[in-house]
């Protein structure tokens, strides 16, 4: 993984969650999208192999669950000029726009899923 770096957390109930967030520019979005697809495909394949083909909230009896949020942010870079004698900050729009993609992925599961996910994506 070049963009998704997972942090792992375990609840008191033994559920393990893996969280990753990535923010990339327009040119790198296809690579991030490929990584997200790789993780989701692995989760679904694991589910099919273990009788849980679809994500389901763990509180509702699911073995694994996933939450993916993707946003596209637009911004306009500004040229800045600070005048120290007057304590004046001036902003000048650049006339262009800039796009970033932000993806947040949370994958959760019980022990068997969490162990296999850790081996696959965290090298544990």
């Amino acid at each position: 993984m070049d963009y998704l770096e997972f942090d792992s957390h375990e609840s008191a109930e033994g559920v393990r969650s893996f969280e990753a967030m990535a923010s990339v520019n327009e040119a790198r979005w296809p690579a991030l999208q490929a990584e997200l697809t790789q993780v989701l495909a692995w989760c679904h394949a694991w589910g099919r192999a273990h009788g849980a083909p679809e994500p389901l909230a763990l509180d509702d009896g699911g073995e694994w669950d996933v939450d993916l949020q993707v946003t596209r942010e637009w911004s306009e870079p500004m040229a800045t000029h600070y005048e120290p004698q007057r304590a004046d900050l001036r902003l000048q729009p650049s006339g262009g726009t800039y796009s970033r993609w932000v993806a947040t992925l949370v994958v959760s599961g019980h022990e068997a899923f969490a162990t296999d996910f850790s081996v696959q994506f965290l090298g544990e």
Side-chain angles (χ1 to χ4, degrees):
M1 300 268 120
D2 292 323
Y3 300 98
L4 298 175
E5 185 173 318
F6 289 95
D7 290 324
S8 174
H9 309 280
E10 189 166 347
S11 73
E13 295 81 29
V15 171
R16 197 159 167 200
S17 295
F18 305 90
E19 301 176 17
M21 181 179 171
S23 176
V24 297
N25 63 25
E26 189 77 24
R28 296 190 186 275
W29 167 244
L32 174 55
Q33 186 177 14
E35 285 189 12
L36 292 165
T37 300
Q38 179 184 351
V39 172
L40 295 172
W42 182 91
C43 291
H44 282 266
W46 186 95
R48 283 190 304 277
H50 293 86
E54 296 296 322
L56 179 63
L58 303 180
D59 291 342
D60 293 338
E63 280 299 310
W64 66 280
D65 199 9
V66 63
D67 179 31
L68 173 61
Q69 302 291 322
V70 178
T71 58
R72 190 171 184 190
E73 299 176 347
W74 293 92
S75 61
E76 181 177 7
M78 305 284 260
T80 61
H81 177 73
Y82 179 71
E83 183 64 48
Q85 292 81 10
R86 296 191 327 223
D88 183 35
L89 175 63
R90 294 181 187 207
L91 304 176
Q92 178 69 36
S94 68
T97 57
Y98 182 69
S99 173
R100 289 199 72 75
W101 292 84
V102 179
T104 304
L105 177 62
V106 180
V107 179
S108 303
H110 292 291
E111 185 177 351
F113 176 88
T115 298
D116 291 348
F117 189 92
S118 293
V119 168
Q120 182 70 28
F121 295 106
L122 279 67
E124 295 179 357

